[in-house]
Amino acid sequence: MSILVTGAAGFIGSNFVLDWIGAGLEDVVSLDKLTYAGNRENLASLDGCAQHRFVLGAIEDEALVSDLLASENVTAVVNFAAESHVDRSIVGPGAFIDTNVVGTFKLLDAVRRYWSGLSADRQDSFRFLHVSTDEVYGSLGPDELPFSENNPYRPNSPYAASKAASDHLVRSYGETYGLPVLITNCSNNYGPYHFPEKLIPLVIHNALRGKPLPLYGDGRQVRDWLYVKDHCGALRAVLKGGRPGQTYNVGGESERANIDVVKSVCDILDRLRPLGHNRTYADQITFVKDRPGHDRRYAIDARKLKSELGWRPLESFESGLEKTIRWNLDNSGWVERVTSGAYRDWVARHYA
Ligand code: NAD
Ligand code: DAU
């Protein structure tokens, strides 16, 4: 018996799989298409581990997914597979519709067919956990209450709209077919294996190379940051104890303006890798053109997850950020291979 984790070679998926196997839980089959955001190296420490198998493939490949579900006796699916970068969705929304909407639909449908052939007991205990985002709720004003699970969906970017569509499809499979689905809507993650196109890893990378630290617009947009391992803990709790058909919001109660996030990165780097001569990394901060349709503020009300499932984040923003920066400093080879594109050679070598 195994769980199927899709998008397992990406940022959150790989952290989830590493933590899951580390905790000695069920075996894992990792499915990933290895787009530019997928990095097989993230799971390299599991090579040779009997509890883990990596499969190169797409969630929209219904034959492959059906085969994996049956041959691996899958008891739960955790769906991380997605196009995830808002800026890319503005430049090229098509891939976001293909994977996040059509891909999720095809995955759901393969899972529904597999699930309907299971015994009643196995149907009851089966779970389809869809990992989604707080961006589906749109943007908050400065004095508005954080997003609860009852907030209306008001996505503002093609990325957020595609995730909203996928959430609706997942919900409909629960209501219509009785598939035991769970949806989580999480705030901004940061931590190890974060692709350096997103704010925090980009700023760490650029700071260390003497490049500009780009802040969009006035830099006063607010995000609610959560250390990735705390997100993984929340997902384990939802998978174990979440009520089928329910949505759980996940967040770190760590609202920060982007400018403050970047200054915090600079402060930690000033301590860990001082530039000398009274210089600071903050001198590299540069204000650039704003992101179109840029959401001003996200904040999460995670009381449902806390009260029903007893989840709590273990890291504060400060402790998580320091761990993240130390990870980047200790794993400069990983960063180098990701930014040079060399990590993609793995696919060519391994599947030659
Ligand atoms: P990521 O971009 O780092 O990883 C996505 C992974 O999915 C990659 O490994 C990629 O190769 C894979 N993938 C893409 N298309 C695929 C397909 N068609 N079939 C199989 N695999 C495919 O993303 P992430 O930041 O790890 O996010 C994972 C999930 O969590 C996404 O669904 C995202 O919407 C959600 N989420 C992310 C955050 C965040 O802050 N990063 C916050 C909340 C929710
Ligand atoms: O809220 C959850 C979402 O968080 C996830 O669903 C997305 O997958 C994930 O990418 C993230 O989306 P954001 O757009 O919030 O993350 P990003 O790191 O791209 O940007 C964070 C903030 O920083 C945002 O307000 C835009 C700003 N920004 C970003 C970049 C890359 C900058 O000011 N400069 C930059 O160069």
Side-chain angles (χ1 to χ4, degrees):
M1 302 234 179
S2 307
I3 65 164
L4 175 65
V5 179
T6 70
F11 163 46
I12 308 175
S14 58
N15 276 285
F16 178 85
V17 171
L18 292 170
D19 287 2
W20 183 276
I21 297 281
L25 301 167
E26 288 94 328
D27 292 1
V28 175
V29 181
S30 288
L31 176 67
D32 200 295
K33 191 176 170 182
L34 296 183
T35 67
Y36 80 94
N39 185 350
R40 182 63 183 80
E41 186 184 339
N42 296 358
L43 297 170
S45 61
L46 297 177
D47 288 351
C49 166
Q51 282 70 49
H52 180 251
R53 178 179 164 207
F54 180 82
V55 178
L56 176 66
I59 53 169
E60 57 269 28
D61 184 342
E62 288 175 90
L64 172 65
V65 171
S66 300
D67 182 53
L68 284 177
L69 290 166
S71 62
E72 301 282 349
N73 248 324
V74 168
T75 55
V77 175
V78 187
N79 182 30
F80 293 96
E83 290 292 335
S84 69
H85 190 33
V86 173
D87 292 324
R88 286 182 191 254
S89 84
I90 295 166
V91 176
F96 288 72
I97 305 305
D98 291 345
T99 288
N100 301 1
V101 185
V102 180
T104 303
F105 160 66
K106 292 195 167 173
L107 174 68
L108 267 172
D109 217 45
V111 171
R112 175 180 67 85
R113 277 184 266 111
Y114 165 73
W115 172 82
S116 46
L118 296 177
S119 65
D121 277 2
R122 288 200 56 200
Q123 283 194 349
D124 275 356
S125 59
F126 189 87
R127 295 289 181 269
F128 183 98
L129 170 51
H130 181 61
V131 182
S132 192
T133 170
D134 59 358
E135 302 205 8
V136 297
Y137 298 122
S139 184
L140 289 169
D143 301 321
E144 279 186 276
L145 291 174
F147 301 128
S148 87
E149 290 80 1
N150 298 322
N151 272 55
Y153 273 34
R154 288 202 178 100
N156 291 321
S157 70
Y159 162 68
S162 68
K163 290 297 290 186
S166 66
D167 291 8
H168 292 323
L169 281 167
V170 172
R171 179 188 153 82
S172 78
Y173 270 61
E175 293 292 321
T176 304
Y177 304 110
L179 187 71
V181 297
L182 297 154
I183 299 174
T184 53
N185 294 95
C186 188
S187 59
N188 286 62
N189 285 217
Y190 64 100
Y193 303 112
H194 205 180
F195 197 84
E197 65 182 355
K198 309 279 171 68
L199 180 68
I200 288 180
L202 178 86
V203 164
I204 298 170
H205 175 267
N206 283 9
L208 292 168
R209 284 155 190 81
K211 293 183 175 174
L213 313 181
L215 274 167
Y216 296 161
D218 64 2
R220 297 262 158 222
Q221 303 82 6
V222 172
R223 297 291 182 268
D224 176 355
W225 293 94
L226 181 68
Y227 189 61
V228 64
K229 306 267 177 206
D230 281 326
H231 186 190
C232 296
L235 295 173
R236 288 197 302 276
V238 170
L239 207 47
K240 185 159 167 268
R243 289 178 290 134
Q246 293 291 310
T247 288
Y248 294 88
N249 282 357
V250 190
E253 282 175 20
S254 291
E255 283 187 61
R256 298 283 187 284
N258 292 337
I259 176 86
D260 296 327
V261 169
V262 173
K263 283 183 177 163
S264 296
V265 171
C266 293
D267 287 348
I268 295 173
L269 282 175
D270 282 339
R271 180 158 46 81
L272 299 180
R273 282 288 159 91
L275 287 164
H277 307 292
N278 283 330
R279 287 187 306 141
T280 163
Y281 290 97
D283 292 340
Q284 291 164 228
I285 292 176
T286 314
F287 290 88
V288 300
K289 192 167 166 286
D290 207 352
R291 170 187 279 174
H294 197 172
D295 286 337
R296 195 69 184 165
R297 174 178 167 237
Y298 306 142
I300 282 278
D301 175 349
R303 276 179 298 178
K304 179 175 172 183
L305 176 62
K306 289 179 177 169
S307 62
E308 275 190 27
L309 302 177
W311 172 83
R312 294 278 178 288
L314 299 176
E315 300 292 341
S316 66
F317 181 66
E318 287 66 32
S319 66
L321 189 61
E322 175 140 354
K323 280 190 177 176
T324 303
I325 292 174
R326 285 185 185 276
W327 186 90
N328 274 269
L329 292 172
D330 294 344
N331 291 275
S332 53
W334 181 91
V335 177
E336 203 51 54
R337 285 187 289 282
V338 166
T339 47
S340 71
Y343 71 107
R344 307 217 69 186
D345 298 348
W346 186 91
V347 181
R349 277 201 317 276
H350 190 75
Y351 294 97

